[in-house]
Amino acid sequence: MDDTTPLLVIVDAANVVGSVPDGWWRDRRGAAERLRDRLAEDGLPGHSGAVEIVLVVEGAARGVESAPGVRVESAPGSGDDHMVELVAEAGGRPCLVVTADRELRRRVTELGAQVTGPRAVRG
């Protein structure tokens, strides 16, 4: 990978949205859309380089559309499994997975990804 390759940032929408008890459970899709919009506006706070942001949604949040700067992927099954697949398919490209899920963190770090918690994108 060369120095111009954007950091692949994979965001666990369910985990990030669920990290703050703000009523997200009443409208999971709307909560995922608000997160998408915040990511599109703010990117990855504190990171000055280029990023490619992928927001992974599942369950009731499936169907959220992509927005400029944020590609949304609806996991066909488990969101965790889909994020692990994305890291595996990155082929050594620098990846950062945003989640607090311990098991997911373990799985993606075994593949070489870095991890950070939801606060990194909650603002």
Side-chain angles (χ1 to χ4, degrees), residues 34-56:
R34 287 188 296 278
L35 174 58
R36 176 208 56 205
D37 294 347
R38 184 168 46 253
L39 291 167
E41 184 173 325
D42 299 339
L44 181 62
H47 183 79
S48 60
V51 295
E52 176 186 351
I53 299 174
V54 179
L55 180 65
V56 176

Side-chain angles (χ1 to χ4, degrees), residues 39-91:
L39 291 167
E41 184 173 325
D42 299 339
L44 181 62
H47 183 79
S48 60
V51 295
E52 176 186 351
I53 299 174
V54 179
L55 180 65
V56 176
V57 297
E58 61 186 318
R62 282 188 186 103
V64 170
E65 298 291 325
S66 294
V70 180
R71 184 174 87 231
V72 178
E73 293 205 7
S74 293
S78 160
D80 290 3
D81 290 347
H82 190 67
M83 287 179 271
V84 170
E85 289 172 14
L86 289 172
V87 171
E89 291 169 359

Side-chain angles (χ1 to χ4, degrees), residues 93-115:
R93 176 180 174 189
C95 294
L96 177 67
V97 177
V98 181
T99 187
D101 182 303
R102 284 187 216 154
E103 178 62 14
L104 177 58
R105 291 169 78 103
R106 182 193 64 76
R107 291 173 67 192
V108 298
T109 56
E110 286 177 354
L111 295 172
Q114 298 293 312
V115 294

Side-chain angles (χ1 to χ4, degrees), residues 9-26:
V9 180
I10 301 168
V11 181
D12 181 350
N15 191 267
V16 172
V17 164
S19 69
V20 176
D22 61 0
W24 59 265
W25 52 88
R26 290 188 293 267

